[in-house]
């Protein structure tokens, strides 16, 4: 299953009960469906998944997904559909972003705080390098 939050909003197809899917161990990834959505940035899809989960929580009483769970869906969750990608385990394809977040951080931010700050307020200007299958690609 692929959850495309912007598509859910634009097409008015409802809000996916992602927390319920995770609890039931349903394989789920995160997408940026540009046919029904309007953004392709995975950071924006991660944030929107959390936001929609919070809206659904108000309606149903369900606990919303965390930023960590949404990040998982946007990396390893989706990667599971395509093989050994989506995490930094040995034998997996090295796909990564090098982020410069000095302008975003506040003193004493943890790594998790820094990631969340980038996901919510960063953009492609913060991405200094991209790796796909272990190779640096041009911006």
């Amino acid at each position: 299953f692929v959850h495309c939050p912007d598509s859910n909003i634009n097409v008015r197809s409802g809000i996916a009960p992602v927390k319920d899917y995770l609890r039931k161990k349903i394989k789920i990834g995160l997408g940026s469906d540009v046919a029904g959505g309007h953004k392709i940035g995975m950071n924006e899809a991660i944030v929107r998944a959390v936001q929609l989960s919070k809206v659904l929580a108000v309606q149903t009483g369900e606990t919303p997904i965390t930023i960590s769970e949404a990040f998982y869906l946007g990396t390893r969750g989706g990667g599971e559909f395509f093989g050994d990608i989506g995490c930094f385990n040995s034998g997996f394809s090295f796909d990564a972003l090098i982020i410069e977040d000095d302008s975003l951080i506040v003193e004493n931010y943890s790594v998790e705080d820094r990631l969340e700050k980038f996901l919510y307020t960063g953009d492609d200007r913060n991405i200094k390098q991209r790796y796909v299958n272990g190779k640096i690609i041009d911006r």
Side-chain angles (χ1 to χ4, degrees), residues 49-59 62 64-65 116 120:
V50 170
Q51 291 169 331
L52 284 179
S53 178
K54 289 176 180 178
V55 169
L56 189 61
V58 169
Q59 296 171 352
E62 176 73 69
I65 62 172
E116 185 170 355
Y120 274 88

Side-chain angles (χ1 to χ4, degrees), residues 18-123:
V18 175
K19 191 73 165 192
D20 187 46
Y21 294 164
L22 290 171
R23 188 175 32 261
K24 292 177 179 175
K25 308 278 190 232
I26 295 172
K27 279 189 173 188
I28 181 170
L30 197 56
S32 60
D33 180 10
V34 293
H38 61 280
K39 301 278 189 163
I40 62 169
M42 188 52 65
N43 63 314
E44 293 172 344
I46 289 168
V47 168
R48 204 88 65 243
V50 170
Q51 291 169 331
L52 284 179
S53 178
K54 289 176 180 178
V55 169
L56 189 61
V58 169
Q59 296 171 352
T60 66
E62 176 73 69
T63 304
I65 62 172
T66 65
I67 197 75
S68 296
E69 289 169 325
F71 185 75
Y72 173 84
L73 296 177
T75 56
R76 186 64 191 129
E80 286 183 318
F81 290 97
F82 300 103
D84 295 336
I85 63 173
C87 69
F88 295 131
N89 289 349
S90 178
F92 280 58
S93 175
F94 181 71
D95 302 322
L97 301 176
I98 305 300
I99 306 290
E100 185 285 302
D101 67 348
D102 291 344
S103 64
L104 304 174
I105 62 170
V106 174
E107 191 175 334
N108 299 323
Y109 264 24
S110 67
V111 172
E112 291 84 4
D113 292 337
R114 291 172 71 171
L115 175 61
E116 185 170 355
K117 183 74 171 182
F118 167 72
L119 292 172
Y120 274 88
T121 64
D123 59 34

